[in-house]
Structures are given as C-alpha cells and as structure tokens.
Amino acid sequence: MLRLAGTPASPGLARGPVFRLQAVERTARRVASAQAERDAIAAAIAEAQSALAALADQTADEEAAGILAFQLALLEDDEITGPTHAAIRAGRSADEAWRQVLDALVADYESAEDTYFRGRAADLRDLRERVLDALLGDAQQSIPAGSIVLAEDLAPSRFLACDWSEGGLVLQRGGATGHVAILARARGVPMLVGVDLSRVEACDEALLDAQDGCLVLGPDASSRQDFERRRAAHAERARADAVHLAPEANTASGERVHVLINVARPEELAGIDVEHVDGIGLVRTEFLFHGREQLPDEEEQYRVYRHIAKWAAGRPVTIRTLDAGGDKPIPGLTRAGESNPFLGVRGVRLSLRRPEVLMVQLRALARAAVHGNVKVMVPMIALPEELAQCRELLAQAVRELLASGVQAAMPPLGMMVEVPAAALTLADFDADFYSIGSNDLLQYLMAASRDEPELATLASPGPAFWRLLEDMTDYGRTARREVSLCGDLASDAQYVPELLRCGLRTLSVAPAALASVKAAVRRS
C-alpha cells in the first residue's frame, strides 16, 4: 500500500481502478510536396476546430466555453498558421512544422512574466496534440469511465471529452486554481494536484480523498473499510443537504437569505425546479457570441432573454451585458495581442468602444423586460462615467423601440463590482443594485492571478477582502440598494457563514450548489 499527499483541487471521495495516462510515441509523416503538406495541416486544423466547436456546443459551463473559445481563436491566429506555412515552404513536413511552431510558443508562454500567458501554455499544448492527432492518428489513450486517473498533466479539452462518472483525477502538475481544477469543481469530479507520481508502480485500485488531500494506492482491507465509512458519511451529508433544497433559506435566527442561481446557457434551466430558487442572479450572455461567424442579432438575443425571463415566473433575472475579453476572447470583436488581457479592453470597456454591438443587446434586453422581472448588469465598471454612458444608451434603446411601436421597458440597471476602485467608492455610482464578482475582485485586490498555482494562498479570501465586503454591504443598507454576490465564493458552503457575517443576504450560486448553500444558511 502506498499513501501519497496532494493538494485538493476539487473536493470529493472516489474509489476505483487505477488508470495511468502516459504519452504515446507518434510516427512522423514522410514529407510530400509543399502543397500536399499545406493541405494536410489545413485539414488537421479544420478537424480540430470541428471537434472543439462540438465540445463547446455540449457544455453549459461558461469557464469551459471560454477555454474552448480561446483555443478556437488560436487556430485562426496568423501568429500560428503563418510560421507553420513558412516552415513547410522550407521543407518541413506538416507535423514537424506544427510541432516546431507550437513548441516555441509554449516555451514563450511558459517563460512570460504575465501569469495570464503562463496559464495559457496548457491551452497551446492541448492544441499542439489535438492537431497532431489529426495529422498522425489519435495517439491519446481512451480513459475508462469510473477510473482514478493518474497523469502528469491533462489538457482542458481532454478533460471535457471524458466521462468522469464515479471517477477522479490526480495530477503531478497543475494547481488548485488552474483550468482543469475549475472544470472539475463545476462537475463535482474529485481531484488532487501536486502529487509525486514518480514512486507509483502498477496497482489495481486507488482511494482518492480530495477532502483531506490523500491518495492511497493498493489499499488494504482496513483502509477500504475506513474509506467506505467516510464516503457513506459524505453521501449522508449530501442527502441531508438536499432536504433544504425546496424550502426558503432562513438562518437559525429566522433571517431570510435569498439564494439565486448563476446560468451560463438557457439549457441548464431544464433540470431545475423554479420553486427551489429565488431567481437568477447572473445570466452570462457570452454563450450567444462564442463559436460563430456572425454576432447574434437583436431578434435572436430577445428570444433567449424572453425565454429565461418567462421561466423565472416573476422572480428577478439579472442579465449581464457581454463580458468579452480577458480569458473570454471572441474573434472579430475582442482585441488580439494585448500585453495583459485581464487589465485590457474587456467588459464594459470593450462594449463602449463597440456601441453598435452593445445597442443591439440593450434593445433585446429592453424588449425582454416586458416579459418578466429583468435586471441588467454591466461588467468591469471602474468609473461612474462608464455606468452613466450605459444608462443613457439603455434609455435611448427604450425610446427608439417605443417610438417604432415595439413593446419595451426600462429595466433596473446595476453593476458588477469586480474592480477594487469601484468597490471602494460605491456611493459615486448611479447603480440600482450591486453584484459582487468575487473571482476578479479577489485577484485584482491581491494582485494574484487565480491561474497561478504558486499563488493559491493569495487567491483565497483574507482580511482585506472580508473588510471590503463589509463596507459594501454597509453602504447598501444605508442607501437601500441591494448588494449581492454572484462569484464562485458564494457556491462554496464553507464561506457562507463569513459572507452572512459581512452582511450579505443575497447569494447567487452554481445550480449544483443550491442544496449545500441553503443548508449552510440554515445552520448559520
């Protein structure tokens, strides 16, 4: 029996057969004519694009969609295709040329000072292997469902393509804030990172404890029995939490807490009972813009927003205007080659520079507001003038629609609070409500990327973050304006007591976290 320690990246317990994922050697192509090699790389890229687009269509997860959109954008980037064609002209085969270009880019990204680019090196390695699979034949091992997978690293798109039912993941590399870890948490896949797999020999079974950070290989009978007792207790806790799914969430003292859900795609609503939620605290509209040749028009957007508003049956639905840029590029809309995309032209900064795109969305939202309790939220606000411009554009959209005989209403307009400068000066912003985006606010506040494994401690909430939350909720009570939180922090039940202590009484969570968060509220 071998016991190894690791860092929990996604909580949970899993037991199953061990599957060791290892690289497979490929046989290089023989060089044909330059035209034949160009045709081969073009076909391989097209196959990779088709596979990524299919994965994007199947996911209802904004994080996954953003990762896949980034990879699709890279496949269209002249920085990659141009040098590849140049290497082919110089006599390289298509696979040699592709590997040469991607290896150089991976090295550049891994050595970059900016943590954003270092975090994206995994996406480049993923693309390299996907296109090589298309050129040389799929060298990837098929991962059996229900396995405890041991690997040095795993590409995000590979993770998305696997069936993780009853299984778990153990990586030697990677971090608790990396892309695969985020995807694993969204899907409830137990995962450890930072595990030294060099001592692992052949074994049949593993116990993965992603609660306490332990992997047991070749467990003895006593270890199995103890693990099963813990897993049964974990399952019992989940069943106990499920009892709290339907009732309203009230604290132990009887204070009402509103628990809403975050939605990335309307298809998610099909499996949710509207009676279990207090509304939708965040609708991410990026899904309408990803993976397509043309931007969605007003009619298409209106139909989607109307559908969501009607599903909510009078409950509040907060729809965020397009939050493109940063780690969510949209070809033809976002800017390529920014030195620091997270601090670049993203969110409202991009929308105000492309008012023709923003106005289409605002018109669709104003029309949808007729059909339900729709609220509009603007991301990445840093200056009062930005919100004022959005308010005027929304009012203009309503006036134009009514003047042309189209039904429309002026919905409440709020802001996502994710920039520290805005969080410190809420009173300066003419917002009808405030919704805290804890993901970006935390990383901007601590100057620590959530994609950098070595900075995981800094990327966790600390005294400065909690004090800022208290100040914002204090202002909200004084000004009688709602302050809610819609970031990942709200979905983690362990933070619920502290969020309530800071004064928050409206939380918007991932649908899968509804029961555990409501249970945590009732225990507080």
Side-chain angles (χ1 to χ4, degrees), residues 48-395:
Q49 288 173 320
S50 177
L52 290 170
L55 279 176
D57 287 342
Q58 294 164 13
T59 183
D61 180 346
E62 183 204 19
E63 191 74 38
I67 291 168
L68 297 170
F70 179 82
Q71 293 193 18
L72 282 165
L74 282 174
L75 286 173
E76 299 174 0
D77 193 337
D78 289 340
E79 184 184 0
I80 294 178
T81 56
T84 301
H85 289 151
I88 290 173
R89 287 195 299 271
R92 301 269 189 180
S93 65
D95 58 302
E96 288 177 319
W98 179 258
R99 186 182 280 110
Q100 173 184 305
V101 171
L102 268 293
D103 283 350
L105 277 175
V106 167
D108 285 346
Y109 272 55
E110 287 180 330
S111 62
E113 292 184 8
D114 194 317
T115 54
Y116 169 82
F117 288 105
R118 291 205 301 274
R120 286 304 192 183
D123 293 298
L124 286 167
R125 288 193 294 270
D126 193 355
L127 275 185
R128 179 188 61 199
E129 299 307 309
R130 183 173 289 277
V131 173
L132 288 175
D133 283 346
L135 279 168
L136 304 175
D138 191 349
Q140 302 283 0
Q141 299 164 277
S142 177
I143 297 177
S147 300
I148 306 300
V149 179
L150 312 184
E152 181 180 356
D153 202 357
L154 188 68
S157 72
R158 185 82 192 279
F159 177 92
L160 291 168
C162 294
D163 179 359
W164 292 100
S165 305
E166 303 299 319
L169 178 61
V170 179
L171 298 183
Q172 185 159 317
R173 298 174 59 184
T177 56
H179 283 150
V180 174
I182 292 170
L183 297 175
R185 286 194 292 273
R187 287 156 179 75
V189 180
M191 176 180 170
L192 290 182
V193 296
V195 179
D196 181 4
L197 300 176
S198 62
R199 298 162 54 201
V200 176
E201 298 178 354
C203 63
D204 294 329
E205 186 184 27
L207 308 177
L208 173 56
D209 181 348
Q211 304 290 121
D212 294 336
C214 180
L215 173 69
V216 179
L217 297 163
D220 57 23
S222 175
S223 297
R224 290 193 194 96
Q225 289 173 359
D226 180 62
F227 185 85
E228 289 305 328
R229 280 195 295 270
R230 294 195 62 226
R231 191 154 68 162
H234 188 266
E236 180 58 35
R237 180 63 174 269
R239 285 192 292 272
D241 287 350
V243 172
H244 301 284
L245 188 59
E248 294 180 348
N250 297 305
T251 64
S253 63
E255 191 171 5
R256 180 80 159 90
V257 176
H258 293 89
V259 183
L260 300 85
I261 55 171
N262 300 330
V263 174
R265 289 174 178 265
E267 300 87 77
E268 294 178 48
L269 300 174
I272 300 171
D273 186 340
V274 69
E275 298 297 329
H276 294 172
V277 304
D278 293 313
I280 301 176
L282 171 63
V283 177
R284 302 176 173 108
T285 59
E286 290 74 51
F287 73 91
L288 282 164
F289 294 78
H290 283 314
R292 54 189 301 160
E293 294 181 2
Q294 292 184 326
L295 299 180
D297 61 19
E298 179 185 323
E299 192 61 30
E300 179 183 356
Q301 293 191 52
Y302 161 65
R303 287 197 300 269
V304 171
Y305 305 149
R306 180 185 62 187
H307 168 75
I308 296 172
K310 286 187 173 182
W311 176 88
R315 296 167 179 81
V317 175
T318 300
I319 302 177
R320 185 176 67 188
T321 59
L322 180 62
D323 189 16
D327 60 347
K328 292 172 281 192
I330 296 175
L333 181 60
T334 52
R335 298 186 176 187
E338 286 188 304
S339 60
N340 192 335
F342 273 106
L343 300 180
V345 181
R346 55 172 298 205
V348 70
R349 302 168 184 179
L350 178 65
S351 292
L352 291 176
R353 285 166 174 78
R354 294 293 300 272
E356 75 284 3
V357 176
L358 177 60
M359 279 298 286
V360 170
Q361 185 167 39
L362 294 178
R363 286 172 60 92
L365 289 167
R367 291 172 62 189
V370 174
H371 302 284
N373 187 2
V374 172
K375 302 159 74 174
V376 177
M377 179 166 64
V378 184
M380 205 61 187
I381 291 285
L383 297 171
E385 293 80 5
E386 293 169 331
L387 187 61
Q389 284 181 264
C390 291
R391 187 175 291 280
E392 176 51 38
L393 289 172
L394 180 57

